[in-house]
Amino acid sequence: MAIVINGTNYPLPDDPRVSLLDFLRERLGLTGTKLGCNQGGCGACTVILDGTRVLSCLTLAVQADGRDVLTIEGLASDQSGLHPLQQAFIDHDGLQCGYCTPGQICSAVAMIGELRRGDPSYVTADLVEGPKGGLRQEIRERMSGNLCRCGAHNGIVAAIEQMLNGEAP
Amino acid sequence: MSKLQNAIVGGVRTAMGYVPGNWLPGGTPDPLIERRVTLGTQQSRVDGPDKVRGAAHFAAEVPMEGLLYAACVHSTIPRGRITELDVAAAETAPGVALVMTHRNAPKMAVPPPIGLTNLKAAGNNILPVMQDAEIRWNGQTVAVVLAETQEQADLAASLIKVGYEAAVARTRFEKAKADARTPDSLMIEKNRLKKGDVAVALQAAARSVDAIYRTPWHNHTPIEPNAATIAWKGDRLTVHDATQMLNGTAGSLAKVFGIKESQVYVSSPFVGGGFGGKALWDHQILGAAAAKLAGRPVRIALSRASMVRLIGGRSPTEQRVALAAAADGRLKGLLHHGFSVKPPHSACDEAFTLTSRSLYASESFDVVQHTIDLDVLANTFMRAPGEAPGTFALESAMDELAHELGMDPIELRRRNVPDRNPVSGAPHSQSDVMLAYDLGAKRFGWDRRAAAPRSRREGEWLIGMGCATGSFPYARMPGMTVRITLDGSGHATVSSAAHEMGMGTATVQRQHTADRLGLPLESVTVTIGDTSLPFGSFAGGSSQTASLGAAINAASGKLAVELLRLAGNDTPLAGLRPAEIEFVNGGLRKIGEPSRYESFVSILKRAARDQISVTGVSSAPLEMLKFSMHSRSAIFCELLVSDVTGEVRVDRLVGCFDCGRILNPKTAASQFRGGMIMGIGMALTEEALFDERTGRVMSASIADYHVPAHLDVPDIDILWTDIPDPRTPMGARGIGEIGITGVAAAIANAAFNATGKRVRELPLTPDKFLFA
Amino acid sequence: MRSFDYRRAADRTEALSIAGEGRARYLGGGTNLVDLMRQNIEAPAALVDVSRLPDSIEETPTGGLIIGAAVSNSVVAVHPAVRTQYPMLSRALLAGASAQIRNMATIGGNILQRTRCAYFYDVAGSRCNKREPGAGCDAIDGHNRYHAIFGASERCIATHPSDMCVALAALDATVHLLGPGGEREVRLLDFHRLPGEHPEIETVLRPGELITAIELDPSAAAANSRYRKVRDRSSYAFALVSVAAGLEVVGGRIEDVRIALGGVAAKPWRAVRAEGLLRGQAPTRARFLEAADAELAAAKSFHGNAFKVELAKRTVAAVLGELTGADA
């Protein structure tokens, strides 16, 4: 029984009550994933599980047995570098206090995949056709599970838009 | 605040009236206003890379050996006594190290209140903490459990049984109005303002409006919960806190535990959103007390439910605004009365009438506000306390008056904007709200607005435009101290116990220091965030930038003196006095004589010094008493209201700000936007659910208190007048809070323009538009 | 959260046998159950993780769909057959919670969501008959903006929070169950119970029973359908009122109509009366309003949610209008 986190194997916790979030933060010291509400209401704890964005606060660590977890610490290809979306967040000032930021970025990385795959969202006009046009509204609806209280929304959307348009450095 | 305070402030103000402006701080405009190199340029946050990597460490992320986790048990009645307290099951639950109740809690003093005159205190809820069986509000902590893991602590806390003897509690706003008090002063202003006779003006007015406006309880709801990691070493206390009041927290904790301030170390390099809610509340005190009892370090990270029980919010308000106008729109009378909640154990005035005392000229004024005492957790400061709800009422009323007059709302304001303070007669340090309106209106396309409500529709959606004025006073805090250390390589390090909660504090002060000392950005480091550094005032009242600015300016003056002294006689600078030199190109130079120059590196080398250090302090802000110093904004909104469901969708926001010089357009725009987005929340969705039967806050999860989500936030256009304020450091005024002001009114005014329905009670939820 | 045993089931038979051992709950995505356990509202002795059961979405011989209970909300929402043949279901799923939660949440778990009533959640400080039978209900005279206008009782006025179930109710979906006594099928409309005297009993699920799938029948009304959710925040919020509706018009007359309301009762509320009035009629705005009026005539509101009656009427008429291409 083990979880693969950012490419490294970790044994599961003994206590099944331990959430994936607490496992990352309190047991492994990977504090880049943030605890915001611990009840699925804010998105700060978003990680990517087998390529899919999920909330680590509502995921029991044992449920991630044998799965691949990607956290903010594992996004960039090397320790000191930045993922292009991380750089875009800096460039567009898509952050202020920085607390919701790792969750926003992890969420956005997976969201870009969903959008490129043509998955519709609640604001997609034609479900069959999928998302066409209205890109900012599509991004906004899809990122609405990540709350930001400082109000960096415009910068976050601009950073994601830049990534989607392939303009990221 | 007291009559005595009124007398003192009034006396100083009167004296200031006779003092020439150029004798005061800021008397001579800051030369940096004209000599900007990096100030005014776009700079990315210096801590951006750490934040996007998740490498910025917050209070609940500081590792410690042997750490225990805390969970709180809260009272379920608003008033009464604990009669039964069964902690046996909790004490024997797995992993539990300690259960603390009033029976075994250490003796602690009541925390001293945060105040404008006491920067060494940060208390908000000025009541004994776990010292007796008395219950004073619904949610008070009755027990703290410490265990090896958070899961164990939470479970054990749920096993504690508490019995109460309930007493009669005051929890109803409407009922308590009858016993409302009328304080003598608000912040540093006299509360009651009477000039002329508004009643007569209202009777004689060509047009008038008179209405009641209501705003609900609000919560700060930062994404980082309030949290602290705490350890004792002997009688020395270390607190890794999420705070916007480092030194205040240290000072208060020292008083509470009866130790010296120097024995308390508080660290808070990053704060995950503050907005007024990250100061000293019971949890840090309880965490420190429990750590002391257990003899082990403690992490107390509040759950969302514990946050609404222990961290106070913005008081609800009920405001009456009456405006009397001549046919040409000029105000003959301005009345602003109302109520907010402020129990005696609260330190915060929700001074919602302040804006009405300075924004518009009127022949007569009748302004006063009353406070209601309830058995509740203390209300507190939340982004633009006073101005946020106050501008909703005043600026909604102005829109109603414009409608009554058949006048363009911007024109109505143009006719009433004063050229000096309309009550005291004090001159403005700088003020040009109408320029903000003109620039904003142009960008927004105000000329496309149809004056008649319900004029525009697309399908089921009614479209409307509205505007409103925002306002926030300038503040600079005295005592803010910085140390500048210049090393042998010519690198300057600025340090202060200042705060970063998203404002870009280090980023902007690095720009400031670079320009002040004539250095490139790379040669400046700014270190902030703990009490080992020179004294910092709080990050509040939008004052930190100006306060730090003044302190850095003062330190730079001392640095010049010190460098000249070190340079001695064997230098091109020999014989010059500080007033004759300027900082440039990494050195000092005689003003007007470029050849008389020596670099810092050279001066230190010759003096055989590795480094030199100086400190500077922000002086008494007497300019605030001599001048009327306010930032203003013009907010524009275009929105859609469903004629079917009443849902409101903000489509566009433009904010144009008159806040002096903008120091870093990139981070400043973010702060303005952030405030305006909180204004969207205030306008449309935010309301803490307070159950008046029990005094209990029922919006105990983040899902029950709707802060704006991405889809609620449109593109927001930000502009500014960028006119320097000659009385302030760098020509800048604070910008952290003004963003939220005026936004709720602009949105409500646009909703009226769309629907013809005037909603005077926030938030503007769909139900309020369903019925005529 | 109480301690519990965690077991992952390899197949349904194993799931049932583990669950038979004691006070167990099946665990899907955990998006509701884990939170309820953390709040000490639920305290199972064991969790049987069924989220990895090899479930999928298959076509039935009659051209319908059978959706395995462990399939995630996201996968169902974006499935091509759901988007084309049951758009109201796709859109209802997309209206729920957030992308992250939809990725985690299973179909079975979504059906079994419990109410979001704040008094239900306030274990320490509020009375709730659903949590503690006989304790009383603090919502009736408290904050009840989000509460029921249909089917409430003196014991409980909570609502069911699911969006998906509203669409499933309109689609007349069938819930497949597997229990110690074997397989059975229940109409989704009969799956949830109104509170009555026993608000603590929320469904007809028997001890140890596992939801294995939901089944949808194809219809013209299902293919021409919509879901509209009215909420305080434009996204990531529970419904004040939501409407799932499908319409089939033949020769200018309504041949088939399906209407269900969310956010108004302890179960998704099928608007049977309105449907009856509309069948055979011309699809006009006046008829839609009349039918909505008739349906809402039976509503009983409380001081905080009286607006829902008007809101529901208007939303029903508007969604039906959109389905005919007529303006609201």
Side-chain angles (χ1 to χ4, degrees), chain B residues 393-425:
Chain B
L394 177 64
E395 288 298 291
S396 291
M398 284 296 279
D399 197 68
E400 297 199 43
L401 181 62
H403 184 72
E404 286 295 313
L405 286 159
M407 183 179 287
D408 182 88
I410 298 178
E411 184 55 31
L412 176 63
R413 286 161 176 103
R414 195 182 307 280
R415 294 188 185 189
N416 287 291
V417 165
D419 57 5
R420 52 181 50 236
N421 187 291
V423 176
S424 70

mmCIF file of all heavy atoms in Angstrom, chain B residues 393-425:
data_model
loop_
_atom_site.group_PDB
_atom_site.id
_atom_site.type_symbol
_atom_site.label_atom_id
_atom_site.label_comp_id
_atom_site.label_asym_id
_atom_site.label_seq_id
_atom_site.Cartn_x
_atom_site.Cartn_y
_atom_site.Cartn_z
ATOM 1 N N ALA B 393 -25.144 53.614 1.822
ATOM 2 C CA ALA B 393 -26.330 54.416 2.144
ATOM 3 C C ALA B 393 -26.272 55.797 1.482
ATOM 4 O O ALA B 393 -27.184 56.200 0.759
ATOM 5 C CB ALA B 393 -26.463 54.557 3.654
ATOM 6 N N LEU B 394 -25.175 56.502 1.697
ATOM 7 C CA LEU B 394 -25.083 57.878 1.191
ATOM 8 C C LEU B 394 -25.156 57.915 -0.339
ATOM 9 O O LEU B 394 -25.860 58.744 -0.923
ATOM 10 C CB LEU B 394 -23.766 58.512 1.668
ATOM 11 C CG LEU B 394 -23.501 59.932 1.146
ATOM 12 C CD1 LEU B 394 -24.556 60.901 1.663
ATOM 13 C CD2 LEU B 394 -22.099 60.411 1.548
ATOM 14 N N GLU B 395 -24.432 56.996 -0.976
ATOM 15 C CA GLU B 395 -24.363 57.051 -2.434
ATOM 16 C C GLU B 395 -25.589 56.451 -3.123
ATOM 17 O O GLU B 395 -25.868 56.761 -4.266
ATOM 18 C CB GLU B 395 -23.062 56.393 -2.908
ATOM 19 C CG GLU B 395 -21.832 57.241 -2.589
ATOM 20 C CD GLU B 395 -21.896 58.595 -3.291
ATOM 21 O OE1 GLU B 395 -21.783 58.617 -4.541
ATOM 22 O OE2 GLU B 395 -22.091 59.612 -2.587
ATOM 23 N N SER B 396 -26.322 55.606 -2.396
ATOM 24 C CA SER B 396 -27.636 55.198 -2.905
ATOM 25 C C SER B 396 -28.582 56.399 -2.840
ATOM 26 O O SER B 396 -29.341 56.655 -3.774
ATOM 27 C CB SER B 396 -28.213 54.049 -2.067
ATOM 28 O OG SER B 396 -27.491 52.862 -2.266
ATOM 29 N N ALA B 397 -28.507 57.117 -1.717
ATOM 30 C CA ALA B 397 -29.379 58.276 -1.539
ATOM 31 C C ALA B 397 -29.093 59.352 -2.587
ATOM 32 O O ALA B 397 -30.019 59.986 -3.120
ATOM 33 C CB ALA B 397 -29.213 58.846 -0.132
ATOM 34 N N MET B 398 -27.821 59.563 -2.902
ATOM 35 C CA MET B 398 -27.474 60.545 -3.942
ATOM 36 C C MET B 398 -28.083 60.133 -5.282
ATOM 37 O O MET B 398 -28.562 60.966 -6.050
ATOM 38 C CB MET B 398 -25.956 60.683 -4.063
ATOM 39 C CG MET B 398 -25.303 61.487 -2.947
ATOM 40 S SD MET B 398 -25.807 63.231 -2.885
ATOM 41 C CE MET B 398 -24.745 63.947 -4.163
ATOM 42 N N ASP B 399 -28.067 58.839 -5.566
ATOM 43 C CA ASP B 399 -28.650 58.355 -6.812
ATOM 44 C C ASP B 399 -30.169 58.567 -6.814
ATOM 45 O O ASP B 399 -30.761 58.932 -7.828
ATOM 46 C CB ASP B 399 -28.324 56.866 -6.983
ATOM 47 C CG ASP B 399 -28.514 56.388 -8.408
ATOM 48 O OD1 ASP B 399 -27.716 56.828 -9.275
ATOM 49 O OD2 ASP B 399 -29.452 55.603 -8.671
ATOM 50 N N GLU B 400 -30.771 58.340 -5.645
ATOM 51 C CA GLU B 400 -32.223 58.555 -5.541
ATOM 52 C C GLU B 400 -32.556 60.029 -5.750
ATOM 53 O O GLU B 400 -33.534 60.370 -6.405
ATOM 54 C CB GLU B 400 -32.728 58.084 -4.172
ATOM 55 C CG GLU B 400 -32.535 56.595 -3.940
ATOM 56 C CD GLU B 400 -33.430 56.051 -2.835
ATOM 57 O OE1 GLU B 400 -34.624 56.406 -2.785
ATOM 58 O OE2 GLU B 400 -32.934 55.238 -2.026
ATOM 59 N N LEU B 401 -31.687 60.872 -5.195
ATOM 60 C CA LEU B 401 -31.916 62.317 -5.342
ATOM 61 C C LEU B 401 -31.766 62.741 -6.811
ATOM 62 O O LEU B 401 -32.572 63.520 -7.333
ATOM 63 C CB LEU B 401 -30.946 63.097 -4.450
ATOM 64 C CG LEU B 401 -31.082 64.615 -4.486
ATOM 65 C CD1 LEU B 401 -32.464 65.049 -3.989
ATOM 66 C CD2 LEU B 401 -29.987 65.278 -3.630
ATOM 67 N N ALA B 402 -30.748 62.205 -7.468
ATOM 68 C CA ALA B 402 -30.540 62.535 -8.886
ATOM 69 C C ALA B 402 -31.771 62.133 -9.686
ATOM 70 O O ALA B 402 -32.233 62.875 -10.564
ATOM 71 C CB ALA B 402 -29.293 61.823 -9.409
ATOM 72 N N HIS B 403 -32.312 60.957 -9.360
ATOM 73 C CA HIS B 403 -33.501 60.487 -10.058
ATOM 74 C C HIS B 403 -34.669 61.428 -9.808
ATOM 75 O O HIS B 403 -35.411 61.793 -10.730
ATOM 76 C CB HIS B 403 -33.826 59.063 -9.604
ATOM 77 C CG HIS B 403 -34.976 58.459 -10.323
ATOM 78 N ND1 HIS B 403 -34.891 58.052 -11.640
ATOM 79 C CD2 HIS B 403 -36.250 58.198 -9.924
ATOM 80 C CE1 HIS B 403 -36.067 57.563 -12.014
ATOM 81 N NE2 HIS B 403 -36.905 57.637 -11.002
ATOM 82 N N GLU B 404 -34.840 61.849 -8.546
ATOM 83 C CA GLU B 404 -35.912 62.785 -8.199
ATOM 84 C C GLU B 404 -35.770 64.107 -8.951
ATOM 85 O O GLU B 404 -36.754 64.701 -9.375
ATOM 86 C CB GLU B 404 -35.900 63.076 -6.690
ATOM 87 C CG GLU B 404 -36.420 61.943 -5.828
ATOM 88 C CD GLU B 404 -37.890 61.675 -6.087
ATOM 89 O OE1 GLU B 404 -38.674 62.637 -6.127
ATOM 90 O OE2 GLU B 404 -38.242 60.486 -6.274
ATOM 91 N N LEU B 405 -34.521 64.545 -9.068
ATOM 92 C CA LEU B 405 -34.247 65.830 -9.718
ATOM 93 C C LEU B 405 -34.294 65.732 -11.234
ATOM 94 O O LEU B 405 -34.314 66.752 -11.931
ATOM 95 C CB LEU B 405 -32.858 66.334 -9.310
ATOM 96 C CG LEU B 405 -32.671 66.890 -7.901
ATOM 97 C CD1 LEU B 405 -31.198 66.862 -7.505
ATOM 98 C CD2 LEU B 405 -33.218 68.321 -7.809
ATOM 99 N N GLY B 406 -34.260 64.498 -11.734
ATOM 100 C CA GLY B 406 -34.140 64.313 -13.179
ATOM 101 C C GLY B 406 -32.785 64.780 -13.672
ATOM 102 O O GLY B 406 -32.650 65.334 -14.763
ATOM 103 N N MET B 407 -31.783 64.575 -12.840
ATOM 104 C CA MET B 407 -30.445 65.074 -13.146
ATOM 105 C C MET B 407 -29.477 63.903 -13.290
ATOM 106 O O MET B 407 -29.656 62.868 -12.625
ATOM 107 C CB MET B 407 -29.987 65.989 -12.002
ATOM 108 C CG MET B 407 -28.628 66.646 -12.203
ATOM 109 S SD MET B 407 -28.227 67.719 -10.803
ATOM 110 C CE MET B 407 -29.338 69.082 -11.120
ATOM 111 N N ASP B 408 -28.488 64.057 -14.129
ATOM 112 C CA ASP B 408 -27.471 63.018 -14.249
ATOM 113 C C ASP B 408 -26.762 62.862 -12.901
ATOM 114 O O ASP B 408 -26.367 63.859 -12.288
ATOM 115 C CB ASP B 408 -26.453 63.410 -15.320
ATOM 116 C CG ASP B 408 -25.406 62.326 -15.490
ATOM 117 O OD1 ASP B 408 -25.640 61.414 -16.283
ATOM 118 O OD2 ASP B 408 -24.362 62.393 -14.785
ATOM 119 N N PRO B 409 -26.595 61.627 -12.445
ATOM 120 C CA PRO B 409 -25.992 61.434 -11.108
ATOM 121 C C PRO B 409 -24.584 62.004 -10.990
ATOM 122 O O PRO B 409 -24.196 62.436 -9.899
ATOM 123 C CB PRO B 409 -25.965 59.907 -10.953
ATOM 124 C CG PRO B 409 -26.971 59.377 -11.905
ATOM 125 C CD PRO B 409 -27.054 60.350 -13.035
ATOM 126 N N ILE B 410 -23.838 62.016 -12.080
ATOM 127 C CA ILE B 410 -22.486 62.596 -11.995
ATOM 128 C C ILE B 410 -22.580 64.114 -11.860
ATOM 129 O O ILE B 410 -21.865 64.737 -11.082
ATOM 130 C CB ILE B 410 -21.635 62.212 -13.227
ATOM 131 C CG1 ILE B 410 -21.460 60.688 -13.289
ATOM 132 C CG2 ILE B 410 -20.268 62.903 -13.178
ATOM 133 C CD1 ILE B 410 -20.672 60.186 -14.479
ATOM 134 N N GLU B 411 -23.508 64.688 -12.581
ATOM 135 C CA GLU B 411 -23.697 66.133 -12.513
ATOM 136 C C GLU B 411 -24.115 66.562 -11.103
ATOM 137 O O GLU B 411 -23.648 67.576 -10.583
ATOM 138 C CB GLU B 411 -24.746 66.570 -13.548
ATOM 139 C CG GLU B 411 -24.965 68.084 -13.636
ATOM 140 C CD GLU B 411 -23.684 68.865 -13.903
ATOM 141 O OE1 GLU B 411 -22.781 68.340 -14.576
ATOM 142 O OE2 GLU B 411 -23.592 70.013 -13.410
ATOM 143 N N LEU B 412 -24.967 65.756 -10.490
ATOM 144 C CA LEU B 412 -25.389 66.068 -9.125
ATOM 145 C C LEU B 412 -24.177 66.125 -8.193
ATOM 146 O O LEU B 412 -24.069 67.008 -7.343
ATOM 147 C CB LEU B 412 -26.386 65.026 -8.610
ATOM 148 C CG LEU B 412 -26.829 65.215 -7.147
ATOM 149 C CD1 LEU B 412 -27.575 66.531 -6.967
ATOM 150 C CD2 LEU B 412 -27.683 64.047 -6.674
ATOM 151 N N ARG B 413 -23.280 65.193 -8.390
ATOM 152 C CA ARG B 413 -22.085 65.189 -7.537
ATOM 153 C C ARG B 413 -21.191 66.385 -7.857
ATOM 154 O O ARG B 413 -20.649 67.031 -6.959
ATOM 155 C CB ARG B 413 -21.349 63.861 -7.689
ATOM 156 C CG ARG B 413 -22.110 62.746 -6.954
ATOM 157 C CD ARG B 413 -21.755 61.367 -7.380
ATOM 158 N NE ARG B 413 -22.441 60.363 -6.573
ATOM 159 C CZ ARG B 413 -23.503 59.661 -6.948
ATOM 160 N NH1 ARG B 413 -24.059 59.863 -8.135
ATOM 161 N NH2 ARG B 413 -24.043 58.761 -6.151
ATOM 162 N N ARG B 414 -21.073 66.686 -9.132
ATOM 163 C CA ARG B 414 -20.235 67.827 -9.528
ATOM 164 C C ARG B 414 -20.701 69.100 -8.827
ATOM 165 O O ARG B 414 -19.897 69.931 -8.410
ATOM 166 C CB ARG B 414 -20.292 68.012 -11.051
ATOM 167 C CG ARG B 414 -19.189 68.912 -11.619
ATOM 168 C CD ARG B 414 -19.313 69.110 -13.128
ATOM 169 N NE ARG B 414 -19.409 67.877 -13.871
ATOM 170 C CZ ARG B 414 -18.382 67.083 -14.196
ATOM 171 N NH1 ARG B 414 -17.171 67.415 -13.831
ATOM 172 N NH2 ARG B 414 -18.571 65.968 -14.862
ATOM 173 N N ARG B 415 -22.002 69.240 -8.681
ATOM 174 C CA ARG B 415 -22.539 70.466 -8.081
ATOM 175 C C ARG B 415 -22.358 70.521 -6.570
ATOM 176 O O ARG B 415 -22.640 71.551 -5.955
ATOM 177 C CB ARG B 415 -24.024 70.595 -8.419
ATOM 178 C CG ARG B 415 -24.200 70.800 -9.903
ATOM 179 C CD ARG B 415 -25.592 71.124 -10.311
ATOM 180 N NE ARG B 415 -25.636 71.175 -11.780
ATOM 181 C CZ ARG B 415 -26.658 71.588 -12.478
ATOM 182 N NH1 ARG B 415 -27.749 71.990 -11.868
ATOM 183 N NH2 ARG B 415 -26.603 71.596 -13.792
ATOM 184 N N ASN B 416 -21.965 69.403 -5.999
ATOM 185 C CA ASN B 416 -21.885 69.370 -4.531
ATOM 186 C C ASN B 416 -20.513 69.051 -3.964
ATOM 187 O O ASN B 416 -20.337 69.021 -2.755
ATOM 188 C CB ASN B 416 -22.918 68.379 -3.984
ATOM 189 C CG ASN B 416 -24.329 68.924 -4.096
ATOM 190 O OD1 ASN B 416 -24.697 69.867 -3.408
ATOM 191 N ND2 ASN B 416 -25.097 68.365 -5.023
ATOM 192 N N VAL B 417 -19.563 68.770 -4.841
ATOM 193 C CA VAL B 417 -18.223 68.457 -4.339
ATOM 194 C C VAL B 417 -17.576 69.744 -3.827
ATOM 195 O O VAL B 417 -17.539 70.753 -4.537
ATOM 196 C CB VAL B 417 -17.367 67.817 -5.441
ATOM 197 C CG1 VAL B 417 -15.907 67.829 -5.058
ATOM 198 C CG2 VAL B 417 -17.837 66.387 -5.691
ATOM 199 N N PRO B 418 -17.120 69.753 -2.590
ATOM 200 C CA PRO B 418 -16.591 70.989 -1.992
ATOM 201 C C PRO B 418 -15.114 71.206 -2.342
ATOM 202 O O PRO B 418 -14.413 70.258 -2.712
ATOM 203 C CB PRO B 418 -16.727 70.719 -0.497
ATOM 204 C CG PRO B 418 -16.521 69.241 -0.375
ATOM 205 C CD PRO B 418 -17.054 68.616 -1.645
ATOM 206 N N ASP B 419 -14.651 72.417 -2.231
ATOM 207 C CA ASP B 419 -13.233 72.675 -2.488
ATOM 208 C C ASP B 419 -12.408 72.640 -1.206
ATOM 209 O O ASP B 419 -11.200 72.787 -1.225
ATOM 210 C CB ASP B 419 -13.028 73.997 -3.236
ATOM 211 C CG ASP B 419 -13.621 75.166 -2.469
ATOM 212 O OD1 ASP B 419 -14.103 74.941 -1.330
ATOM 213 O OD2 ASP B 419 -13.616 76.286 -3.000
ATOM 214 N N ARG B 420 -13.064 72.448 -0.091
ATOM 215 C CA ARG B 420 -12.387 72.227 1.179
ATOM 216 C C ARG B 420 -13.336 71.454 2.080
ATOM 217 O O ARG B 420 -14.478 71.220 1.713
ATOM 218 C CB ARG B 420 -11.956 73.538 1.826
ATOM 219 C CG ARG B 420 -13.071 74.578 1.960
ATOM 220 C CD ARG B 420 -12.564 75.874 2.590
ATOM 221 N NE ARG B 420 -11.340 76.333 1.915
ATOM 222 C CZ ARG B 420 -10.192 76.573 2.561
ATOM 223 N NH1 ARG B 420 -10.104 76.380 3.868
ATOM 224 N NH2 ARG B 420 -9.142 76.994 1.897
ATOM 225 N N ASN B 421 -12.876 71.045 3.236
ATOM 226 C CA ASN B 421 -13.757 70.273 4.101
ATOM 227 C C ASN B 421 -14.996 71.089 4.439
ATOM 228 O O ASN B 421 -14.882 72.196 4.975
ATOM 229 C CB ASN B 421 -13.017 69.865 5.383
ATOM 230 C CG ASN B 421 -13.858 68.918 6.222
ATOM 231 O OD1 ASN B 421 -14.875 69.301 6.776
ATOM 232 N ND2 ASN B 421 -13.438 67.669 6.280
ATOM 233 N N PRO B 422 -16.183 70.574 4.128
ATOM 234 C CA PRO B 422 -17.396 71.394 4.260
ATOM 235 C C PRO B 422 -17.796 71.652 5.707
ATOM 236 O O PRO B 422 -18.604 72.533 5.965
ATOM 237 C CB PRO B 422 -18.463 70.543 3.552
ATOM 238 C CG PRO B 422 -17.966 69.139 3.654
ATOM 239 C CD PRO B 422 -16.466 69.235 3.614
ATOM 240 N N VAL B 423 -17.221 70.927 6.638
ATOM 241 C CA VAL B 423 -17.585 71.128 8.043
ATOM 242 C C VAL B 423 -16.517 71.941 8.767
ATOM 243 O O VAL B 423 -16.790 72.970 9.363
ATOM 244 C CB VAL B 423 -17.810 69.769 8.746
ATOM 245 C CG1 VAL B 423 -18.086 69.994 10.230
ATOM 246 C CG2 VAL B 423 -18.978 69.024 8.079
ATOM 247 N N SER B 424 -15.253 71.483 8.686
ATOM 248 C CA SER B 424 -14.189 72.156 9.438
ATOM 249 C C SER B 424 -13.570 73.311 8.661
ATOM 250 O O SER B 424 -12.934 74.178 9.233
ATOM 251 C CB SER B 424 -13.085 71.147 9.772
ATOM 252 O OG SER B 424 -12.394 70.785 8.580
ATOM 253 N N GLY B 425 -13.746 73.297 7.361
ATOM 254 C CA GLY B 425 -13.103 74.319 6.541
ATOM 255 C C GLY B 425 -11.648 74.024 6.249
ATOM 256 O O GLY B 425 -10.962 74.794 5.564
#
